[in-house]
Amino acid sequence: MRIWLNGELRDADAAKVSVLDHGLTVGDGLFETLKAKDGSVFALTRHLDRLTRSARGLGLPDPDHDEVRRACAAVLEANPMPLGRLRITYTGGESPLGSERGKTGPTLVVAVGETTRRPDTTAVITVPWVRNERSPLTGLKTTSYAENVVALARANAAGASESLFANTVGQLCEGTGSNVFVVLDGELHTPPLASGCLAGITRALVVEWTGAKETDLPFDVLDRADEVFLTSTLRDVQAVHSVDGRLVTTAPGPVTAKAMRIFDERAGSDLDP
Ligand SMILES: Cc1ncc(COP(=O)(O)O)c(C=O)c1O
């Protein structure tokens, strides 16, 4: 495995960052997860734009898009695989031991790991913890992800692949690493960004391509939705067949099946939509 670290490709065991890196000590970092099929990255421009938005939100310098593009290409060329999870990590760099950031400048890592296509349907659970739609980190894809680690472990222990959160005012928000859509009376809805969810790239494409509405939804909409699906870079559109062990009628239902079809067609015909 060859990994890009701060300007060059290195063997995995030589790609080392400082133990004082602010990403490690306080979670002061950002990331992007991209899908790479046969060495080609999907939606790279949107991912780079979100990385820049996240960097500005954390007060980190804008990442150099040319360098990140070169890094992605180099990593993919050095590690050929049919389906890869390409990961960009960009942190505050070597820093003092507190929350204050040091002056050495950011750390940039690009790595890839092999993955397999997700199943078409999955089980989810709800969790009692909330997303904070008023946090300074809302909408930023930071490496401060331990809440998601805990919530995903709970899902896995229950035989599910995702946990869904409400926000602080009891509205449906998102999953640990996915956005959520529901079908009500034949219409497709997803929570608005003001709910505190991440501006998922798959979410944005599904909204654009299907005309799904962005709607404030109470968390218990999950009890009565006709269909539920998740979106994320590695799930694409994935139907939900059960919520907290309760079966959702037919998964994928007709609206979900149509969204899956549209997504596959549109994404298949444009690598960088
Ligand atoms: C918290 C969270 N919400 C939503 C998503 C989905 O975003 P995308 O479609 O850009 O992968 C992710 C991505 O991993 C995420 O971490």
Side-chain angles (χ1 to χ4, degrees), residues 50 131 141 145 174-179 198 200-202 232-233:
R50 186 170 63 190
R131 278 286 195 256
K141 200 162 165 65
Y145 246 43
E174 65 176 345
T176 66
S178 62
N179 293 105
L198 186 76
I201 286 163
T202 323
S232 81
T233 292

Side-chain angles (χ1 to χ4, degrees), residues 35 81-85 113-119 234-235:
K35 182 174 51 185
M81 58 185 71
L83 187 61
R85 169 197 286 261
E114 191 154 6
T115 186
T116 51
R117 179 143 173 91
R118 89 292 182 267
L234 293 175
R235 294 179 192 266

Side-chain angles (χ1 to χ4, degrees), residues 27-128:
D28 175 24
L30 307 164
F31 73 104
E32 285 293 324
T33 298
L34 304 89
K35 182 174 51 185
K37 248 192 214 160
D38 298 320
S40 298
V41 192
F42 181 65
L44 179 56
T45 304
R46 286 179 185 254
H47 282 283
L48 292 178
D49 289 346
R50 186 170 63 190
L51 185 67
T52 298
R53 286 201 305 278
S54 295
R56 289 179 183 173
L58 272 198
L60 282 171
D62 283 2
D64 176 344
H65 284 195
D66 289 340
E67 182 190 353
V68 181
R69 281 179 188 272
R70 255 187 292 121
C72 290
V75 166
L76 290 172
E77 196 189 336
N79 305 283
M81 58 185 71
L83 187 61
R85 169 197 286 261
L86 183 67
R87 156 101 181 198
I88 303 167
T89 310
Y90 187 65
T91 78
E94 197 173 321
S95 299
L97 287 168
S99 293
E100 224 157 285
R101 191 176 291 149
K103 295 187 171 51
T104 54
T107 301
L108 172 69
V109 179
V110 178
V112 65
E114 191 154 6
T115 186
T116 51
R117 179 143 173 91
R118 89 292 182 267
D120 279 348
T121 75
T122 194
V124 303
I125 62 166
T126 56
V127 286

